[in-house]
Amino acid sequence: GKTECHRCQRGKYQENTNSSFCSSCPTGMTTWMLGADWAGECRCQEGWYWINGTFNCSICPMGMSCPGDHARPLQDAGFWVEPTIRSVDIWGTGHWQELWGGPFSVFQCRDAL
């Protein structure tokens, strides 16, 4: 018999035509619309941030605000943030690039000693 086609829900995608199975985006990721048709439409959820050079999101650390998508985390008032700088082989091509991003060292500021 025939299977009726439905668009995948938010947070899921379907890369294979003629399939009724939707795959879930990785942890911390979602799609912004119904009917996503490839994993590249998965983006970080609000409260998570994109880890440069990867296809992963990480949970937003305390002292930072993370709007989601591919946006960088924002430092909250009253906190000092030091990003980690690392060299990454971009997509396994042998081309190395320095990227800054998580994990972050986050420190809460004090008014006085």
Side-chain angles (χ1 to χ4, degrees), residues 2 11 22 28-29 32 38 55-57 62-64 67 69 74 76-77 81 84 86 88 91 100 102 108 110:
K2 287 187 173 183
C22 295
M29 300 180 96
W32 298 117
W38 68 297
F55 186 66
N56 295 305
C57 297
M62 188 172 110
M64 300 185 81
D69 201 9
L74 306 170
D76 291 340
V81 177
T84 302
R86 57 195 166 89
V88 176
W91 305 110
W100 75 270
Q108 188 166 11
R110 298 187 301 186

PDB file of all heavy atoms in Angstrom, residues 2 11 22 28-29 32 38 55-57 62-64 67 69 74 76-77 81 84 86 88 91 100 102 108 110:
ATOM      1  N   LYS A   2       0.197   2.345  -0.227  1.00  0.00           N
ATOM      2  CA  LYS A   2       0.866   3.645  -0.261  1.00  0.00           C
ATOM      3  C   LYS A   2       0.947   4.226   1.146  1.00  0.00           C
ATOM      4  O   LYS A   2       0.082   4.001   1.972  1.00  0.00           O
ATOM      5  CB  LYS A   2       0.105   4.622  -1.152  1.00  0.00           C
ATOM      6  CG  LYS A   2       0.227   4.330  -2.613  1.00  0.00           C
ATOM      7  CD  LYS A   2      -0.413   5.449  -3.394  1.00  0.00           C
ATOM      8  CE  LYS A   2      -0.159   5.277  -4.864  1.00  0.00           C
ATOM      9  NZ  LYS A   2      -0.703   6.372  -5.638  1.00  0.00           N
ATOM     10  N   GLY A  11      12.818  20.406  14.204  1.00  0.00           N
ATOM     11  CA  GLY A  11      13.805  19.599  14.903  1.00  0.00           C
ATOM     12  C   GLY A  11      14.106  18.284  14.213  1.00  0.00           C
ATOM     13  O   GLY A  11      14.904  17.484  14.685  1.00  0.00           O
ATOM     14  N   CYS A  22      11.568  10.509   9.537  1.00  0.00           N
ATOM     15  CA  CYS A  22      12.276  11.774   9.748  1.00  0.00           C
ATOM     16  C   CYS A  22      13.385  11.554  10.771  1.00  0.00           C
ATOM     17  O   CYS A  22      13.173  10.932  11.802  1.00  0.00           O
ATOM     18  CB  CYS A  22      11.328  12.843  10.269  1.00  0.00           C
ATOM     19  SG  CYS A  22      10.035  13.306   9.098  1.00  0.00           S
ATOM     20  N   GLY A  28      20.675  19.757  21.040  1.00  0.00           N
ATOM     21  CA  GLY A  28      20.822  21.207  21.087  1.00  0.00           C
ATOM     22  C   GLY A  28      20.485  21.909  19.787  1.00  0.00           C
ATOM     23  O   GLY A  28      20.626  23.120  19.678  1.00  0.00           O
ATOM     24  N   MET A  29      20.030  21.141  18.797  1.00  0.00           N
ATOM     25  CA  MET A  29      19.742  21.719  17.490  1.00  0.00           C
ATOM     26  C   MET A  29      18.279  21.518  17.116  1.00  0.00           C
ATOM     27  O   MET A  29      17.616  20.604  17.597  1.00  0.00           O
ATOM     28  CB  MET A  29      20.641  21.100  16.420  1.00  0.00           C
ATOM     29  CG  MET A  29      22.116  21.312  16.678  1.00  0.00           C
ATOM     30  SD  MET A  29      23.151  20.564  15.406  1.00  0.00           S
ATOM     31  CE  MET A  29      23.410  21.991  14.366  1.00  0.00           C
ATOM     32  N   TRP A  32      14.258  25.527  11.751  1.00  0.00           N
ATOM     33  CA  TRP A  32      13.412  26.711  11.960  1.00  0.00           C
ATOM     34  C   TRP A  32      12.071  26.590  11.256  1.00  0.00           C
ATOM     35  O   TRP A  32      11.219  27.453  11.387  1.00  0.00           O
ATOM     36  CB  TRP A  32      14.145  27.965  11.506  1.00  0.00           C
ATOM     37  CG  TRP A  32      15.387  28.205  12.298  1.00  0.00           C
ATOM     38  CD1 TRP A  32      16.660  28.218  11.820  1.00  0.00           C
ATOM     39  CD2 TRP A  32      15.508  28.423  13.705  1.00  0.00           C
ATOM     40  NE1 TRP A  32      17.556  28.439  12.846  1.00  0.00           N
ATOM     41  CE2 TRP A  32      16.876  28.569  14.011  1.00  0.00           C
ATOM     42  CE3 TRP A  32      14.585  28.504  14.750  1.00  0.00           C
ATOM     43  CZ2 TRP A  32      17.344  28.794  15.299  1.00  0.00           C
ATOM     44  CZ3 TRP A  32      15.053  28.725  16.029  1.00  0.00           C
ATOM     45  CH2 TRP A  32      16.408  28.873  16.298  1.00  0.00           C
ATOM     46  N   TRP A  38      17.260  18.361   4.705  1.00  0.00           N
ATOM     47  CA  TRP A  38      18.652  17.921   4.866  1.00  0.00           C
ATOM     48  C   TRP A  38      19.182  18.366   6.217  1.00  0.00           C
ATOM     49  O   TRP A  38      18.683  19.315   6.831  1.00  0.00           O
ATOM     50  CB  TRP A  38      19.520  18.366   3.708  1.00  0.00           C
ATOM     51  CG  TRP A  38      19.782  19.830   3.583  1.00  0.00           C
ATOM     52  CD1 TRP A  38      18.867  20.817   3.355  1.00  0.00           C
ATOM     53  CD2 TRP A  38      21.047  20.483   3.670  1.00  0.00           C
ATOM     54  NE1 TRP A  38      19.482  22.027   3.308  1.00  0.00           N
ATOM     55  CE2 TRP A  38      20.814  21.863   3.489  1.00  0.00           C
ATOM     56  CE3 TRP A  38      22.342  20.045   3.885  1.00  0.00           C
ATOM     57  CZ2 TRP A  38      21.845  22.792   3.522  1.00  0.00           C
ATOM     58  CZ3 TRP A  38      23.358  20.988   3.905  1.00  0.00           C
ATOM     59  CH2 TRP A  38      23.112  22.327   3.718  1.00  0.00           C
ATOM     60  N   PHE A  55      29.897  20.579  13.432  1.00  0.00           N
ATOM     61  CA  PHE A  55      28.450  20.541  13.219  1.00  0.00           C
ATOM     62  C   PHE A  55      27.791  20.255  14.564  1.00  0.00           C
ATOM     63  O   PHE A  55      26.946  19.395  14.693  1.00  0.00           O
ATOM     64  CB  PHE A  55      28.083  19.470  12.182  1.00  0.00           C
ATOM     65  CG  PHE A  55      26.624  19.483  11.804  1.00  0.00           C
ATOM     66  CD1 PHE A  55      26.082  20.559  11.130  1.00  0.00           C
ATOM     67  CD2 PHE A  55      25.807  18.430  12.127  1.00  0.00           C
ATOM     68  CE1 PHE A  55      24.731  20.583  10.788  1.00  0.00           C
ATOM     69  CE2 PHE A  55      24.456  18.427  11.789  1.00  0.00           C
ATOM     70  CZ  PHE A  55      23.922  19.510  11.113  1.00  0.00           C
ATOM     71  N   ASN A  56      28.236  20.989  15.601  1.00  0.00           N
ATOM     72  CA  ASN A  56      27.745  20.745  16.959  1.00  0.00           C
ATOM     73  C   ASN A  56      27.382  22.043  17.651  1.00  0.00           C
ATOM     74  O   ASN A  56      27.942  23.095  17.353  1.00  0.00           O
ATOM     75  CB  ASN A  56      28.826  20.047  17.795  1.00  0.00           C
ATOM     76  CG  ASN A  56      29.155  18.674  17.272  1.00  0.00           C
ATOM     77  OD1 ASN A  56      28.283  17.840  17.120  1.00  0.00           O
ATOM     78  ND2 ASN A  56      30.418  18.447  16.980  1.00  0.00           N
ATOM     79  N   CYS A  57      26.484  21.928  18.593  1.00  0.00           N
ATOM     80  CA  CYS A  57      26.115  23.036  19.464  1.00  0.00           C
ATOM     81  C   CYS A  57      26.437  22.638  20.900  1.00  0.00           C
ATOM     82  O   CYS A  57      26.423  21.462  21.233  1.00  0.00           O
ATOM     83  CB  CYS A  57      24.628  23.343  19.358  1.00  0.00           C
ATOM     84  SG  CYS A  57      24.114  23.878  17.710  1.00  0.00           S
ATOM     85  N   MET A  62      26.710  29.654  32.074  1.00  0.00           N
ATOM     86  CA  MET A  62      26.192  30.679  32.966  1.00  0.00           C
ATOM     87  C   MET A  62      27.000  31.955  32.766  1.00  0.00           C
ATOM     88  O   MET A  62      28.218  31.898  32.592  1.00  0.00           O
ATOM     89  CB  MET A  62      26.318  30.216  34.423  1.00  0.00           C
ATOM     90  CG  MET A  62      25.626  31.137  35.400  1.00  0.00           C
ATOM     91  SD  MET A  62      25.636  30.402  37.035  1.00  0.00           S
ATOM     92  CE  MET A  62      26.784  31.502  37.834  1.00  0.00           C
ATOM     93  N   GLY A  63      26.353  33.103  32.729  1.00  0.00           N
ATOM     94  CA  GLY A  63      27.026  34.376  32.509  1.00  0.00           C
ATOM     95  C   GLY A  63      27.045  34.794  31.055  1.00  0.00           C
ATOM     96  O   GLY A  63      27.633  35.814  30.700  1.00  0.00           O
ATOM     97  N   MET A  64      26.398  33.989  30.207  1.00  0.00           N
ATOM     98  CA  MET A  64      26.316  34.316  28.784  1.00  0.00           C
ATOM     99  C   MET A  64      24.888  34.099  28.296  1.00  0.00           C
ATOM    100  O   MET A  64      24.136  33.330  28.890  1.00  0.00           O
ATOM    101  CB  MET A  64      27.295  33.469  27.975  1.00  0.00           C
ATOM    102  CG  MET A  64      28.740  33.673  28.377  1.00  0.00           C
ATOM    103  SD  MET A  64      29.900  32.790  27.329  1.00  0.00           S
ATOM    104  CE  MET A  64      29.988  33.939  25.949  1.00  0.00           C
ATOM    105  N   PRO A  67      21.540  33.300  21.673  1.00  0.00           N
ATOM    106  CA  PRO A  67      20.306  33.437  20.899  1.00  0.00           C
ATOM    107  C   PRO A  67      20.013  32.263  19.979  1.00  0.00           C
ATOM    108  O   PRO A  67      18.927  32.160  19.435  1.00  0.00           O
ATOM    109  CB  PRO A  67      20.535  34.715  20.089  1.00  0.00           C
ATOM    110  CG  PRO A  67      22.005  34.878  20.011  1.00  0.00           C
ATOM    111  CD  PRO A  67      22.576  34.239  21.247  1.00  0.00           C
ATOM    112  N   ASP A  69      20.859  29.597  16.583  1.00  0.00           N
ATOM    113  CA  ASP A  69      21.304  29.628  15.193  1.00  0.00           C
ATOM    114  C   ASP A  69      22.829  29.528  15.154  1.00  0.00           C
ATOM    115  O   ASP A  69      23.396  28.724  15.871  1.00  0.00           O
ATOM    116  CB  ASP A  69      20.784  30.876  14.485  1.00  0.00           C
ATOM    117  CG  ASP A  69      20.762  30.705  12.964  1.00  0.00           C
ATOM    118  OD1 ASP A  69      20.983  29.590  12.467  1.00  0.00           O
ATOM    119  OD2 ASP A  69      20.523  31.701  12.265  1.00  0.00           O
ATOM    120  N   LEU A  74      26.700  35.798  23.788  1.00  0.00           N
ATOM    121  CA  LEU A  74      26.897  37.170  24.238  1.00  0.00           C
ATOM    122  C   LEU A  74      27.199  37.188  25.729  1.00  0.00           C
ATOM    123  O   LEU A  74      26.559  36.475  26.506  1.00  0.00           O
ATOM    124  CB  LEU A  74      25.635  38.000  23.956  1.00  0.00           C
ATOM    125  CG  LEU A  74      25.146  37.959  22.506  1.00  0.00           C
ATOM    126  CD1 LEU A  74      23.772  38.605  22.404  1.00  0.00           C
ATOM    127  CD2 LEU A  74      26.143  38.639  21.599  1.00  0.00           C
ATOM    128  N   ASP A  76      26.988  38.396  29.407  1.00  0.00           N
ATOM    129  CA  ASP A  76      26.014  39.090  30.239  1.00  0.00           C
ATOM    130  C   ASP A  76      26.709  40.156  31.079  1.00  0.00           C
ATOM    131  O   ASP A  76      27.905  40.040  31.389  1.00  0.00           O
ATOM    132  CB  ASP A  76      25.299  38.102  31.175  1.00  0.00           C
ATOM    133  CG  ASP A  76      24.376  37.145  30.435  1.00  0.00           C
ATOM    134  OD1 ASP A  76      23.978  37.449  29.292  1.00  0.00           O
ATOM    135  OD2 ASP A  76      24.057  36.087  31.010  1.00  0.00           O
ATOM    136  N   ALA A  77      25.967  41.174  31.466  1.00  0.00           N
ATOM    137  CA  ALA A  77      26.496  42.215  32.347  1.00  0.00           C
ATOM    138  C   ALA A  77      26.942  41.581  33.658  1.00  0.00           C
ATOM    139  O   ALA A  77      26.287  40.668  34.179  1.00  0.00           O
ATOM    140  CB  ALA A  77      25.426  43.276  32.613  1.00  0.00           C
ATOM    141  N   VAL A  81      34.459  37.206  30.144  1.00  0.00           N
ATOM    142  CA  VAL A  81      34.540  35.965  29.378  1.00  0.00           C
ATOM    143  C   VAL A  81      35.849  35.914  28.594  1.00  0.00           C
ATOM    144  O   VAL A  81      36.229  36.894  27.952  1.00  0.00           O
ATOM    145  CB  VAL A  81      33.349  35.851  28.394  1.00  0.00           C
ATOM    146  CG1 VAL A  81      33.476  34.592  27.548  1.00  0.00           C
ATOM    147  CG2 VAL A  81      32.035  35.861  29.145  1.00  0.00           C
ATOM    148  N   THR A  84      38.252  30.365  24.123  1.00  0.00           N
ATOM    149  CA  THR A  84      39.355  29.466  23.803  1.00  0.00           C
ATOM    150  C   THR A  84      39.691  29.639  22.327  1.00  0.00           C
ATOM    151  O   THR A  84      38.798  29.655  21.486  1.00  0.00           O
ATOM    152  CB  THR A  84      38.939  28.008  24.071  1.00  0.00           C
ATOM    153  OG1 THR A  84      38.561  27.891  25.434  1.00  0.00           O
ATOM    154  CG2 THR A  84      40.070  27.045  23.762  1.00  0.00           C
ATOM    155  N   ARG A  86      41.640  27.929  19.172  1.00  0.00           N
ATOM    156  CA  ARG A  86      42.182  26.635  18.792  1.00  0.00           C
ATOM    157  C   ARG A  86      42.346  26.569  17.281  1.00  0.00           C
ATOM    158  O   ARG A  86      41.694  27.301  16.545  1.00  0.00           O
ATOM    159  CB  ARG A  86      41.284  25.509  19.282  1.00  0.00           C
ATOM    160  CG  ARG A  86      39.879  25.590  18.794  1.00  0.00           C
ATOM    161  CD  ARG A  86      38.942  24.672  19.585  1.00  0.00           C
ATOM    162  NE  ARG A  86      37.568  24.996  19.326  1.00  0.00           N
ATOM    163  CZ  ARG A  86      36.846  24.468  18.354  1.00  0.00           C
ATOM    164  NH1 ARG A  86      37.359  23.560  17.562  1.00  0.00           N
ATOM    165  NH2 ARG A  86      35.611  24.819  18.169  1.00  0.00           N
ATOM    166  N   VAL A  88      41.867  24.461  13.865  1.00  0.00           N
ATOM    167  CA  VAL A  88      40.941  23.435  13.393  1.00  0.00           C
ATOM    168  C   VAL A  88      41.210  23.144  11.924  1.00  0.00           C
ATOM    169  O   VAL A  88      41.418  24.062  11.125  1.00  0.00           O
ATOM    170  CB  VAL A  88      39.475  23.916  13.572  1.00  0.00           C
ATOM    171  CG1 VAL A  88      38.503  22.921  12.992  1.00  0.00           C
ATOM    172  CG2 VAL A  88      39.167  24.180  15.024  1.00  0.00           C
ATOM    173  N   TRP A  91      36.834  20.993   7.836  1.00  0.00           N
ATOM    174  CA  TRP A  91      36.165  19.898   7.141  1.00  0.00           C
ATOM    175  C   TRP A  91      37.138  18.818   6.665  1.00  0.00           C
ATOM    176  O   TRP A  91      36.920  18.183   5.638  1.00  0.00           O
ATOM    177  CB  TRP A  91      35.324  20.416   5.972  1.00  0.00           C
ATOM    178  CG  TRP A  91      34.344  21.455   6.394  1.00  0.00           C
ATOM    179  CD1 TRP A  91      34.410  22.784   6.088  1.00  0.00           C
ATOM    180  CD2 TRP A  91      33.181  21.294   7.194  1.00  0.00           C
ATOM    181  NE1 TRP A  91      33.347  23.445   6.661  1.00  0.00           N
ATOM    182  CE2 TRP A  91      32.575  22.561   7.342  1.00  0.00           C
ATOM    183  CE3 TRP A  91      32.588  20.195   7.815  1.00  0.00           C
ATOM    184  CZ2 TRP A  91      31.414  22.751   8.080  1.00  0.00           C
ATOM    185  CZ3 TRP A  91      31.429  20.407   8.551  1.00  0.00           C
ATOM    186  CH2 TRP A  91      30.863  21.668   8.667  1.00  0.00           C
ATOM    187  N   TRP A 100      38.056  31.011  17.319  1.00  0.00           N
ATOM    188  CA  TRP A 100      37.805  31.225  18.727  1.00  0.00           C
ATOM    189  C   TRP A 100      36.365  30.823  18.993  1.00  0.00           C
ATOM    190  O   TRP A 100      35.504  30.929  18.149  1.00  0.00           O
ATOM    191  CB  TRP A 100      38.101  32.653  19.164  1.00  0.00           C
ATOM    192  CG  TRP A 100      37.097  33.678  18.759  1.00  0.00           C
ATOM    193  CD1 TRP A 100      37.088  34.410  17.611  1.00  0.00           C
ATOM    194  CD2 TRP A 100      35.946  34.081  19.499  1.00  0.00           C
ATOM    195  NE1 TRP A 100      36.015  35.226  17.593  1.00  0.00           N
ATOM    196  CE2 TRP A 100      35.289  35.055  18.737  1.00  0.00           C
ATOM    197  CE3 TRP A 100      35.405  33.712  20.723  1.00  0.00           C
ATOM    198  CZ2 TRP A 100      34.127  35.668  19.170  1.00  0.00           C
ATOM    199  CZ3 TRP A 100      34.244  34.318  21.151  1.00  0.00           C
ATOM    200  CH2 TRP A 100      33.625  35.284  20.376  1.00  0.00           C
ATOM    201  N   GLY A 102      33.960  28.219  22.058  1.00  0.00           N
ATOM    202  CA  GLY A 102      33.931  27.482  23.301  1.00  0.00           C
ATOM    203  C   GLY A 102      34.972  26.400  23.346  1.00  0.00           C
ATOM    204  O   GLY A 102      35.575  26.090  22.337  1.00  0.00           O
ATOM    205  N   GLN A 108      32.543  35.752  37.183  1.00  0.00           N
ATOM    206  CA  GLN A 108      31.611  36.768  37.661  1.00  0.00           C
ATOM    207  C   GLN A 108      32.404  37.911  38.281  1.00  0.00           C
ATOM    208  O   GLN A 108      33.333  37.675  39.070  1.00  0.00           O
ATOM    209  CB  GLN A 108      30.629  36.193  38.680  1.00  0.00           C
ATOM    210  CG  GLN A 108      29.530  37.165  39.050  1.00  0.00           C
ATOM    211  CD  GLN A 108      28.396  36.489  39.788  1.00  0.00           C
ATOM    212  OE1 GLN A 108      28.498  35.337  40.199  1.00  0.00           O
ATOM    213  NE2 GLN A 108      27.302  37.209  39.956  1.00  0.00           N
ATOM    214  N   ARG A 110      33.233  41.147  40.663  1.00  0.00           N
ATOM    215  CA  ARG A 110      32.904  41.552  42.041  1.00  0.00           C
ATOM    216  C   ARG A 110      33.004  43.074  42.121  1.00  0.00           C
ATOM    217  O   ARG A 110      33.862  43.670  41.493  1.00  0.00           O
ATOM    218  CB  ARG A 110      33.853  40.927  43.050  1.00  0.00           C
ATOM    219  CG  ARG A 110      33.793  39.415  43.060  1.00  0.00           C
ATOM    220  CD  ARG A 110      34.600  38.822  44.173  1.00  0.00           C
ATOM    221  NE  ARG A 110      36.008  39.223  44.073  1.00  0.00           N
ATOM    222  CZ  ARG A 110      36.957  38.747  44.866  1.00  0.00           C
ATOM    223  NH1 ARG A 110      36.664  37.873  45.783  1.00  0.00           N
ATOM    224  NH2 ARG A 110      38.199  39.140  44.730  1.00  0.00           N
TER     225      ARG A 110
END
